[in-house]
Amino acid sequence: MLQFGNTQHVQIHIDPTRVSLAPGFDVHRLTIAAELLPAGLEHNLLCEVEAEVYVAPPNWRWIATAKPTRARLTNHNHTGLRLAFPLTNQQLLDLEEYRAGQDLLLELQISGFFQFNHSSAESREQIRVPASVWQDELERLGTSFGFALAIPLPTPNGARRDAAAYLQNARRLLHDGEFDKAIGSARQAMERILAVANWPQISKNDDLHQRSQAQRWRAIYKAALDQASGAEHADEVTKDFSYSRGEAEALIGIAASLLRAVPASSM
């Protein structure tokens, strides 16, 4: 509740089932619907509302700030308010890790300001978004929300440095629309990874069910390398291969995953 002095106050009601997500390019919009019910006002007043959303305690941390909005308040009349917060892909992924399949616990810090008499008030409101509601909203984002994979920064020396540098170059080429070249750079990263991975040789005659864990990593590597090699268009089979952005992203992601799968001590 926003308490303005001794008599003026505004009750805040938030329906956690009306939380929504709208897709954007890398940055999405989280909207939280609220209703304001004022009492004790001498007359109708225009209230400027600001809000920040946090992960609720005990894991309290800031998530985003809403664009300030204005609401005209009348005693004992409900006024609807929509608070819109920008959220990046990574922030959504962090929230998914935090909630771990459970309800999403959020805290709103809301500030209200009456320009008429320069009075202000603050309120903290906790929201428990049902897991089913949140999951439905994530699904509405479709392909605009997905798995994000960090590419390690190059270390001072060694194969990890070379592999990471090739992956960073692949990402730059991808952003420039050079999909074949990006895949080629990812392939070079894979070659550096294999040089130190200690994955044993495999054969097409192997019993697949009897392969060791390390042999199965080698099989994943080999399949990805074969696919990435097609970007060079170096033979009769691959000369007509055409790779999409999604395919380039997939191969760069696989190469980055392989780099993370190799123990740091072996790099």
Side-chain angles (χ1 to χ4, degrees):
M1 182 172 67
L2 295 170
Q3 184 72 48
F4 298 90
N6 295 327
T7 60
Q8 298 180 341
H9 66 267
V10 178
Q11 293 182 348
I12 302 171
H13 174 70
I14 297 172
D15 183 351
T17 66
R18 294 179 60 200
V19 169
S20 64
L21 288 169
F25 291 105
D26 295 328
V27 179
H28 313 293
R29 185 175 68 247
L30 166 67
T31 300
I32 299 176
E35 282 193 345
L36 306 181
L37 180 61
L41 305 185
E42 296 177 2
H43 46 73
N44 297 349
L45 288 177
L46 189 64
C47 183
E48 184 166 312
V49 180
E50 297 181 353
E52 294 186 318
V53 63
Y54 295 79
V55 170
N59 300 297
W60 191 85
R61 65 179 184 271
W62 176 86
I63 301 174
T65 300
K67 182 179 179 180
T69 186
R70 291 182 176 181
R72 185 165 294 280
L73 303 180
T74 304
N75 272 337
H76 310 300
N77 286 333
H78 292 273
T79 299
L81 194 65
R82 294 175 65 83
L83 303 171
F85 302 89
L87 289 185
T88 65
N89 255 338
Q90 188 58 54
Q91 285 177 306
L92 285 174
L93 289 166
D94 290 342
L95 287 176
E96 279 300 274
E97 182 178 357
Y98 154 68
R99 78 178 183 94
Q102 305 301 310
D103 293 348
L104 178 62
L105 302 179
L106 300 174
E107 181 174 286
L108 280 181
Q109 291 194 6
I110 301 176
S111 301
F113 176 71
F114 286 143
Q115 293 182 342
F116 173 75
N117 56 11
H118 303 289
S119 61
S120 62
E122 294 184 351
S123 177
R124 290 188 177 185
E125 307 288 334
Q126 291 208 353
I127 313 170
R128 179 183 290 271
V129 182
S132 58
V133 171
W134 186 251
Q135 186 61 42
D136 287 345
E137 291 304 312
L138 288 177
E139 290 176 2
R140 285 183 56 205
L141 296 181
T143 57
S144 62
F145 170 58
F147 178 72
L149 182 65
I151 295 176
L153 291 172
T155 51
N157 50 53
R160 183 178 290 274
R161 176 201 62 191
D162 296 339
Y166 277 120
L167 285 171
Q168 289 180 327
N169 184 54
R171 185 170 56 185
R172 285 192 292 268
L173 291 167
L174 177 71
H175 290 165
D176 291 339
E178 299 282 357
F179 303 149
D180 283 6
K181 291 181 180 179
I183 293 171
S185 192
R187 184 184 187 278
Q188 289 176 306
M190 293 182 204
E191 291 175 347
R192 300 311 186 277
I193 294 167
L194 180 65
V196 291
N198 293 323
W199 293 324
Q201 290 286 347
I202 57 175
S203 167
K204 63 181 180 180
N205 297 320
D206 292 343
D207 183 339
L208 302 185
H209 297 290
Q210 296 301 316
R211 280 180 175 171
S212 67
Q213 181 177 352
Q215 285 177 314
R216 295 179 188 207
W217 277 117
R218 179 65 178 259
I220 294 171
Y221 161 82
K222 186 177 185 302
L225 186 72
D226 288 344
Q227 182 65 272
S229 298
E232 297 179 354
H233 309 289
D235 56 47
E236 192 66 23
V237 175
T238 63
K239 67 179 183 179
D240 295 323
F241 281 17
S242 176
Y243 290 91
S244 67
R245 181 186 184 91
E247 290 174 303
E249 289 175 348
L251 287 168
I252 294 170
I254 291 170
S257 298
L258 289 170
L259 178 57
R260 294 172 68 88
V262 177
S265 59
S266 66
M267 297 296 282

